[in-house]
Amino acid sequence: MKFTAVFVVLFICFSSNVFTQTEQAVKVPKRIYTTKRLIKTPVIDGKINEGAWDAVEWSSDFTEKNPDEGTPPAYQTKFKVMYDKKFLYVAIRAFDDEPELIQQRLSRRDGFQGDRVNVIIDSYHDKRTAFVFTTTAAGVKGEEIVSQNGNNWDASWNPIWYTNAAVDDKGYTIEMKIPFSQLRFGKAKEQIWGFNINRTIFRLQERSLWQRIPNNQAGFISESGELHGLKNLVSQKQLEIQPFTVLQYDKYPAEPGNPFRDGSDLTLNAGLDAKIGITNDLTLDLTINPDFGQVEADPGAIALDGFQIFFREQRPFFVENFNIFDFEFANGQDNVFYSRRIGRNPHRSASLQDGEFADVPQNSTILGAAKFSGKTKNGWSIGVLESVTANEYATIRQTDGTEREQIVEPLTNFFVARAQKDFNKRNSFIGGIFTATNRFLNGDFNELHKAAYTGGVDFQHNWKNREYYLDGNVVFSKVLGSEEAITATQKTLRHNFQRVDADYLSLDETKTSLTGTGGRLELGKNGGGNWRYSGGAIWRSPELELNDVGFLRQTDEIIQFGNLNYLWQVPTETYRNINIGFEQFSIYDFGGNLNRIGLEGKGEISWINNWWTEGGYGINTNFFDNFFLRGGPRWKRPNTAFAYLFFGSDRSKLFSFTLGYSNRHSQESVVGRDRFVVRTNYQPTDAFSMSFNVEYANLFDRTQYVTETAFNNDARYILGRIQNQTLTTTLRLNYSFTPDISLQFYGQPFISKGKFSNLNYVLNPLGNSINDRIAVYDETQILLTDDAIAIDANNDGVQDFNLPNGGYLVDENRDGDADYAFRNPDFSFVQLQTNLVARWEYIPGSELFLVWARGSVGNTDTDTDLLNSVSDQVFREPANDTFLVKFTYRFAR
């Protein structure tokens, strides 16, 4: 407590001192390129050999951005820009005295491999967002939407545009033809757009910019040059309709007697996606019965702490333009909007009688969804999303062949509205978000919330040439439901209102709603000179609840944090740049208890040969956990330290690698973890690339939570020493026949094995020593058996413990009678996920997918080693196979 207070005082004093210092900043004049209307239309073949380009002048004089900022690049670049009624045309000449060394790496769209050029267009001219069009020397195209003034680059955007490239004896050339319908701009008679061009020489890992942006300058899009001369542009409202058809065949091991699992299924599906330009600024996206069959499977994961695992969104409709709806309000992955709640797996499973079988849908059907989004010339960023998922039913077939239906998920409506407004010459913004989830329960599903609402406000203010900033947000939540539903929410691990020692919390089983708040406030410096620093606070109140359409890991936290970094940005003969940092945080609960103090020092070095190294060391002291006993009392964890070291080779080489090691260890050897990471990338030809990643972790914890039971009418919290080994292996193979035809393979075996020993129970959760906190069962108290266990501990005719597959019998008081029992917590989980995807973009925006996916999930003997377990799962266990053909055609105007 004293340490935290001292640190905060020192941090404020240091911040005030630096704020008053005058730092020498490089003043870079704003460059302007004035375009003209074309006279003739060029052919987009990448060669720039037609007289049509003579209508405008070349511009050059690029400046190196990395590694030696402010100096001339190894080879110069020049470009031209012109336009007509419907298109913007860009020609680029990238000089190179060694054209045979130009990296012409083929990849799928958005691969961003090899030598390339990015054209950056801030057509809103809001100095925070931009559209980026990329073409590589091999002619591969890529596109991104940039937000947060260059801090967020979203490659999910796939507009229709045209490009080509050609390599010659002077280097390579690129031509682009960009429809105005794919951009967003205002109605001024003469447009002024932010504009920049970035060139990457891959073998040198060198970037150069047309508009110089010093490395100590905060912001990227705001510092772009300007494109002038765009006169009398007519709004080109976007209209795109993309129907799709999917033929899918599933083959899987048949289940004897189960009519729904006879070994194979054949389905035909169809749907529609559409983009409609409401104005030149705002677009409506629609989807009807969307299909996500070609989406890659989620990676394997095991949560030993009981908290929910975050998986990234991969479905195209929700990924595209997600930056508009994004509202990360605290730290980590907590977000007011988590789109994977839409179309989730049903909340209920089928309730079956003997001899019955059920066909249960894996996901809720998305009947339809619509997004209205864009940014106006007045600085308004707007996003509205509406989606409806269907009532889902399990079909249950009885032994006599009759069928019945049982509802497993109610009809649900999801609504999200997001807005931001720029002001103060685009140096500041204020925004808000509102979400609503409404379920049509029809007198059923008392365990679910009937409605959930969240609202939030966020803001940011930058000053002194964007070097300093103040930003923050506040969120409010309210969920409504039956007493059963709200009681269940209070008892979830992320809330733990039933904690026995929390006098500031109380479980109220009569409540029908919960209301909570959360947020973040941060002040800092992110540009100018060599120093960067920030400090602030984060909070999540105990009643905050977002998980109907958001993501919230846990509540009841108040976090104070501070960060301090020093940067060396001028290359020497040894390194390109260095970043050394220090972080500090302290965590309190809403009862005023100090639950942790954390300190970490870390550093990153980019060496002159393009290798890199990063490492760090940190400690956690005064460590208490309100959630560890999952409703039990506050638990004291041992002081813990961690260290990590990673280094990697030059990514521009045909073969590159990353090696890493991290370690965690604690006082009294209560916890220990070693993690090893090997990542490799190899590109033997321009058309073929492969990556092979291996991650192995070995964890032991003498106090891993197992279960809660009762002894002599008191709660008994059972723990044990776990030896948990996890192995993840990921292989990716990519072959590109052309920039529009590719073949990709993905395979990931995953295994996590946990073996328990030294089972014990909690004596004093706040004891100073591990021996004060737990008592280990001896041989006379505990017995592992495979036989069925049924115990009437209270002699009232009711079986208090019923374990048909056996488990542990415990005679804690050694009187010869079992006092309680619990299941064997050992586990060995194995998962295999693979897919092979052939993709052909036969015309811009229209695609044909051929997909083969194979997956299996199993449990192996905990005594079998990891490699043999994986081998058995890959080569011996029966798997589910899916063969899919998806055809899309995009009608565009």
Side-chain angles (χ1 to χ4, degrees), residues 14-130:
F14 175 81
S15 302
S16 301
N17 182 50
V18 178
F19 263 71
T20 59
Q21 294 177 10
T22 302
E23 294 177 322
Q24 296 298 320
V26 178
K27 300 296 182 182
V28 179
K30 187 75 71 175
R31 300 191 70 180
I32 295 174
Y33 184 90
T34 302
T35 184
K36 298 178 181 178
R37 281 188 176 268
L38 57 78
I39 300 172
K40 297 180 180 179
T41 302
V43 177
I44 306 301
D45 57 7
K47 297 181 179 179
I48 322 180
N49 55 5
E50 300 163 282
W53 289 106
D54 294 340
V56 289
E57 301 295 326
W58 290 104
S59 182
S60 187
D61 297 327
F62 279 54
T63 305
E64 193 171 317
K65 173 67 172 174
N66 291 319
D68 194 1
E69 199 284 314
T71 65
Y75 304 111
Q76 267 297 338
T77 308
K78 63 180 183 179
F79 69 91
K80 292 183 175 184
V81 181
M82 56 185 186
Y83 69 101
D84 62 13
K85 183 178 180 181
K86 293 186 175 181
F87 300 96
L88 186 75
Y89 299 83
V90 183
I92 299 165
R93 156 63 73 180
F95 292 100
D96 197 318
D97 292 347
E98 301 174 288
E100 70 279 2
L101 299 181
I102 293 173
Q103 296 291 301
Q104 302 178 64
R105 298 188 178 185
L106 283 169
S107 69
R108 182 172 165 171
R109 185 172 183 167
D110 295 333
F112 305 113
Q113 293 293 311
D115 285 69
R116 58 192 181 273
V117 175
N118 316 93
V119 175
I120 303 164
I121 301 173
D122 176 11
S123 55
Y124 292 120
H125 207 210
D126 64 2
K127 300 183 180 181
R128 290 203 300 123
T129 59

Side-chain angles (χ1 to χ4, degrees), residues 325-360:
F325 297 91
D326 188 26
F327 198 103
E328 290 186 4
F329 73 93
N331 60 348
Q333 294 155 326
D334 288 356
N335 206 307
V336 173
F337 178 46
Y338 180 47
S339 57
R340 291 193 62 141
R341 304 295 182 196
I342 303 174
R344 55 155 291 157
N345 57 302
H347 281 88
R348 283 184 182 173
S349 56
S351 178
L352 301 178
Q353 300 175 6
D354 291 341
E356 290 186 330
F357 296 93
D359 182 18
V360 182

Side-chain angles (χ1 to χ4, degrees), residues 561-614:
F561 64 90
N563 303 286
L564 180 65
N565 291 76
Y566 189 85
L567 286 68
W568 288 264
Q569 301 181 91
V570 179
T572 68
E573 295 180 353
T574 305
Y575 62 83
R576 290 175 178 261
N577 55 72
I578 301 176
N579 183 354
I580 300 295
F582 174 75
E583 296 181 1
Q584 175 273 340
F585 67 86
S586 54
I587 302 177
Y588 300 82
D589 62 30
F590 273 67
N593 301 302
L594 175 60
N595 285 340
R596 194 190 320 182
I597 295 175
L599 304 170
E600 181 183 354
K602 57 185 180 179
E604 303 172 8
I605 302 176
S606 177
W607 304 101
I608 200 65
N609 62 355
N610 289 325
W611 287 46
W612 56 273
T613 304
E614 65 179 33

